[in-house]
């Protein structure tokens, strides 16, 4: 069935470092892809999305490119801040599935000052 | 616009007791979802409503979990009787017409079963 695999965390970086969180997926056709972020004690927030191959989603300095050939949607940010410390979830919405979203296990990011 | 409202924020119950969670989605959002998030894992879909009809409840443990969405607006998720393994955060989310828009999540209800 459809699934999402993320790199295991935690990821610990110093402020202003470059961030990459890897995400690969298994799905039929061209699913929509998402990154959500969860800050401590809060629900998930949509960070960015891409709905077709080669699309680039971006928001708040984060970006991810929909790569059909490698079935990947890696999250990147050029310079992280302490306030970016959170759990990041990669997710997909299957082409056929009633618009339900399947989430990865999440990757926790710690950013040190 | 107002976000997705959930209550209560926290609940502690003993096993075999019953509990109910409430969700008020964003006004106008036709689709409502309940997810279960166990500590250290990604959210898992329990049930999906489109207006007041159930679209997907294939992963809902129907022997103990039930959910309803009266009049296509508010929704209630109930567990009766609760088990220790039900300890988790229960997240409600809504979206306008489909997941391609992405979801708006509530803050969740953290349930602890002792």
């Amino acid at each position: 069935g459809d699934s999402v695999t993320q790199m295991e965390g935690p990821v610990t970086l110093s402020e202003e470092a470059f961030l990459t969180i890897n995400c690969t997926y298994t799905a039929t056709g061209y699913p929509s892809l998402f990154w959500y972020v969860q800050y401590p004690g809060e629900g998930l927030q949509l960070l960015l999305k891409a709905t077709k191959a080669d699309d680039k989603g971006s928001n708040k300095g984060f970006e991810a490119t929909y790569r059909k050939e490698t079935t990947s949607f890696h999250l990147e940010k050029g310079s992280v801040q302490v306030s970016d410390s959170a759990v990041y979830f990669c997710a997909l919405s299957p082409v056929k599935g009633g618009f339900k979203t399947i989430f990865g296990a999440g990757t926790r990011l710690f950013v040190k000052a | 616009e107002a976000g997705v409202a959930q209550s209560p924020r926290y609940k502690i119950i003993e096993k075999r007791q019953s509990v109910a969670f409430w969700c008020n989605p964003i006004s106008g959002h036709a689709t409502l979802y309940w997810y279960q998030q166990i500590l250290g894992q990604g959210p898992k879909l329990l049930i999906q409503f489109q207006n007041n009809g159930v679209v997907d409840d294939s992963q809902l443990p129907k022997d103990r979990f039930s959910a309803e969405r009266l009049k296509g607006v508010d929704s209630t998720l109930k567990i009766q009787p609760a088990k220790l393994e039900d300890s988790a955060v229960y997240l409600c989310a809504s979206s306008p017409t489909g997941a391609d828009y992405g979801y708006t999540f509530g803050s969740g209800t953290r349930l602890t079963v002792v």
Side-chain angles (χ1 to χ4, degrees):
Chain A
D2 299 336
S3 64
V4 175
T5 302
Q6 295 181 233
M7 64 186 290
E8 289 191 18
V11 174
T12 303
L13 297 173
S14 297
E15 208 165 22
E16 299 183 3
F18 185 87
L19 168 70
T20 300
I21 299 178
N22 291 336
C23 170
T24 57
Y25 67 89
T26 300
T28 304
Y30 291 81
S32 296
L33 301 175
F34 306 86
W35 277 99
Y36 284 82
V37 59
Q38 186 174 34
Y39 298 101
E42 298 183 14
L44 281 72
Q45 301 175 25
L46 178 63
L47 182 59
L48 53 84
K49 68 177 181 180
T51 57
K52 58 183 187 294
D54 299 324
D55 266 2
K56 177 183 286 188
S58 61
N59 186 24
K60 300 180 180 179
F62 291 90
E63 59 182 32
T65 301
Y66 191 142
R67 302 288 189 196
K68 179 63 176 176
E69 63 275 14
T70 54
T71 62
S72 64
F73 193 55
H74 304 320
L75 182 69
E76 298 181 336
K77 187 175 184 182
S79 176
V80 294
Q81 305 300 313
V82 172
S83 57
D84 294 327
S85 298
V87 181
Y88 292 81
F89 292 91
C90 186
L92 70 82
S93 174
V95 174
K96 295 180 180 179
F99 300 114
K100 68 181 180 185
T101 298
I102 297 167
F103 289 85
T107 302
R108 183 174 294 277
L109 171 66
F110 290 106
V111 181
K112 304 180 296 183
Chain B
E1 65 180 357
V4 175
Q6 288 190 248
S7 67
R9 282 298 308 270
Y10 306 93
K11 191 74 177 178
I12 301 175
I13 62 172
E14 295 182 349
K15 60 183 179 183
R16 292 188 290 274
Q17 285 187 324
S18 63
V19 64
F21 314 126
W22 173 82
C23 172
N24 186 11
I26 290 176
S27 177
H29 280 194
T31 311
L32 184 148
Y33 310 81
W34 283 102
Y35 278 81
Q36 179 192 58
Q37 186 180 18
I38 293 172
L39 186 65
Q41 299 180 19
K44 183 186 80 172
L45 180 68
L46 292 175
I47 189 166
Q48 175 187 348
F49 292 95
Q50 181 78 16
N51 297 310
N52 61 348
V54 175
V55 174
D56 185 346
D57 64 357
S58 57
Q59 297 191 78
L60 187 74
K62 298 181 186 63
D63 58 334
R64 297 184 301 107
F65 286 64
S66 64
E68 60 182 6
R69 189 181 184 196
L70 299 176
K71 300 180 182 178
V73 182
D74 293 9
S75 178
T76 303
L77 176 69
K78 297 179 181 177
I79 308 175
Q80 181 178 14
K83 294 184 175 181
L84 296 177
E85 59 261 36
D86 298 332
S87 294
V89 176
Y90 291 84
L91 295 164
C92 179
S94 69
S95 66
T97 56
D100 278 6
Y101 289 91
Y103 296 171
T104 301
F105 279 88
S107 297
T109 296
R110 180 176 297 277
L111 173 67
T112 302
V113 183
V114 298

